[in-house]
Amino acid sequence: MRVALFITCVNDTLYPRTGQAVVRLLERLGCTVDFPVEQTCCGQMHWNTGYGTQIEPLVRRFADTFAGYDAVVTPSGSCGAMIRDNHPKAAARAEDRALADDVAAVVPTVYDLSEFLVDVLGVTDVGAYFPHKVTYHPTCHSMRLMKLGDRPTTLLRNVRGLELLELPGADECCGFGGTFAVKNPDVSAAMGADKVRNAAGTGAEVLCAADNSCLMHLGGMMDRQRTGVRTLHLAEILASTEELPA
């Protein structure tokens, strides 16, 4: 199986350890992972701010770069949702039949990490070890657009040593939402405060999610409030072992 890693801008720039964890985890499970260096932004920020036509070059580049792989795995529900939901719409706007066909060919191969593990590889116990109390935040895009369901929590429950604590108000947005946090900072901060209070109230040591953008928003607030709760991407917990702890 030819597997490609789509790292996404936020992870590549700010959280390279997440991408490294994905590669380490998939290789541990027997996959050979390729990292196409031609990859760029998925165009989500452009799309969300009204530049739906201008993202055509990014859509075309994604389809060209990831063509021919059996699976494209990404550690971001947000960017995965952008590709699966909006790249076909952008291709349709371009009125380019060849582009639409290329996008239609690559979109079904794009998987969130937890989808790929559970649905494609058929594993729920990835051999991880993480002896900590963890609470899981299902981010909006991973829950509502990618429809990951209980795949992430099923994987977490099979991590040796991990105690999974239920997060009150888990299905509520954290307030980040890409440009939403920029356009509506007061509302964003209030929504984040609710999420941080709920996470800290669980007694968890770690707040986990499948999107580092949401964790960046919440982690900054938790650091300033000195809650003692740290944030970790799901991939880093699943890649953790006794020999290489997260």
Side-chain angles (χ1 to χ4, degrees):
M1 178 179 292
R2 296 185 69 221
V3 179
L5 170 63
F6 173 46
I7 185 65
T8 81
C9 301
V10 169
N11 290 325
D12 190 35
T13 307
L14 301 174
Y15 298 96
R17 287 183 53 175
T18 295
Q20 293 165 357
V22 173
V23 174
R24 194 162 61 249
L25 172 62
L26 293 182
E27 289 183 343
R28 192 170 80 209
L29 295 172
C31 296
T32 299
V33 184
D34 192 11
F35 181 79
V37 296
E38 297 83 6
Q39 62 183 283
T40 59
C41 174
C42 66
Q44 183 181 168
M45 294 293 283
H46 313 68
W47 182 270
N48 289 347
T49 47
Y51 294 93
T53 303
Q54 288 83 349
I55 71 165
E56 180 189 330
L58 296 176
V59 173
R60 190 180 301 278
R61 190 180 186 93
F62 186 92
D64 290 343
T65 300
F66 290 101
Y69 285 102
D70 298 314
V72 180
V73 178
T74 182
S76 169
S78 181
C79 297
M82 172 64 197
I83 293 159
R84 295 214 303 218
D85 273 28
N86 295 323
H87 276 203
K89 297 173 186 172
R93 286 187 183 186
E95 298 183 349
D96 182 331
R97 187 68 252 173
L99 175 61
D101 289 345
D102 291 344
V103 170
V106 77
V107 161
T109 69
V110 176
Y111 297 92
D112 169 83
L113 175 63
S114 64
E115 274 184 321
F116 182 73
L117 295 173
V118 175
D119 297 354
V120 180
L121 295 186
V123 295
T124 53
D125 184 345
V126 298
Y129 174 71
F130 191 74
H132 299 283
K133 295 179 179 179
V134 176
T135 192
Y136 179 74
H137 167 51
T139 65
C140 292
H141 283 141
S142 66
M143 176 171 54
R144 297 184 173 89
L145 294 178
M146 296 292 280
K147 303 185 186 307
L148 297 186
D150 63 357
R151 295 178 184 87
T153 51
T154 298
L155 290 161
L156 288 172
R157 287 193 176 91
N158 282 294
V159 173
R160 192 157 48 92
L162 187 149
E163 181 181 352
L164 185 61
L165 303 171
E166 184 175 354
L167 177 63
D171 61 347
E172 297 172 6
C173 177
C174 72
F176 182 68
T179 55
F180 177 85
V182 178
K183 295 174 181 174
N184 307 278
D186 292 341
V187 176
S188 172
M191 295 170 75
D194 288 344
K195 186 67 69 173
V196 166
R197 183 170 54 254
N198 287 341
T202 65
E205 303 165 71
V206 175
L207 174 63
C208 172
D211 272 293
N212 271 327
S213 51
C214 301
L215 291 177
M216 177 176 62
H217 174 60
L218 297 172
M221 298 183 76
M222 290 195 294
D223 283 347
R224 286 191 292 277
Q225 295 180 21
R226 299 182 180 179
T227 61
V229 182
R230 61 173 171 145
T231 59
L232 269 180
H233 192 283
L234 174 67
E236 295 181 61
I237 292 178
L238 298 182
S240 180
T241 62
E242 289 186 67
E243 294 75 22
L244 288 172

